[in-house]
Amino acid sequence: MPRANWKEWDSTAENFSRHEGIPSYLVYGTLSKEIPEVSIMVLTYRRAEKLERALNSALSQDFRGKYEIIVVDDCPYDEATDVLMRRLCSEHSNLLYYRNEKNLGQYANWNRAAELCRTKWFCLLHNDDYLMPDYLSTMTELEDPNIGLIGTYFVVKEEREDVAPKRRLLDVAIDTALNLSKDKLIPLTLRDNIKHIFTFSCCLFINREKYFEAGGLNEDYYPSSDFVFSSKMNTIASTAFYPNKMSVRTVGDNVSLRQEVCDDSIRDAYHHTFYIAKSLGFTDKKAQKLASRAAVFAEIGVKGYNDVDYGGVKKELGMSAAYNNSFIIFLLNLYSKFNWGLLFLRPKLSR
């Protein structure tokens, strides 16, 4: 049985009050009286070394306007992080450090960051990623009140020696394709989402008003809450993809690489796609076919990290045995790349 109610994937019911009884305290830094132009909201949990690298990238932006960097720590106390933030906040007036009284969880901490943000737009930066120096100066030029999310291309930096070579080859292929359409803001729709095409969650640029209008992230859909949120945003606003190298994503020992999380990612891709397809008017039979394809697309993605047999998960979902055939999977992989390629033929998003 699905872990969440996928029929309600597009619900805009708010998800902020779930943790309203758990406060976030401003530990270091001082809020300026003047609201800055844009924010970088940094999510962290017991990764002081990586956090320092992320913050150095945030502090080194070439943006000429005023911006605020707010760290939201989901660990009640970590000595290494505390020492780091005490030092950096004393050195940089635009840096603030909040600490949650109790652990909220990955996606609830996204929502807390949105609550603490004071600007119309913000970058959501995870502590194991880092930004290119021109991130803010570039993204602020793309702001549009009708857009809810802008995802960007990112460089993948492997920090695990056991990451499968298939993952590296895939990254090279994507890199080649995306560079064919630099400086073009590409619109994404629900019909893209049923092909498992979403805004990448690495260093998203987010319209705060639209974030709240969509109800924030629903942690019930873990580990796919970000994909669900991206598609939900397509029901109330536009989402877009900017195919320039604006950040670096590191791949190390991350919870998202655990086997049970990879299994759930495939399950979620199936259920989520089925109900997106139903919302678009597809029959059950067609929706099941699209859902099965999406599950394979997800399988191809997670196999770049955990190259195991996912036949049992697909059988559990009631998918045809044909989707275990290596040649069918190969064809669907090509089909996925073809769909991504078609994005670059679209007119850029009008603003």
Side-chain angles (χ1 to χ4, degrees), residues 245-257:
K245 297 179 180 180
M246 303 308 302
S247 60
V248 177
R249 179 189 180 194
T250 60
V251 179
D253 291 320
N254 190 293
V255 65
S256 63
L257 304 184

Side-chain angles (χ1 to χ4, degrees), residues 139-144 146-147 150 185 348-351:
M139 300 309 291
T140 51
E141 291 296 318
L142 301 175
E143 290 181 12
D144 185 306
N146 297 313
I147 299 176
I150 302 176
L185 195 58
K348 66 180 181 180
L349 194 63
S350 58
R351 299 168 53 231

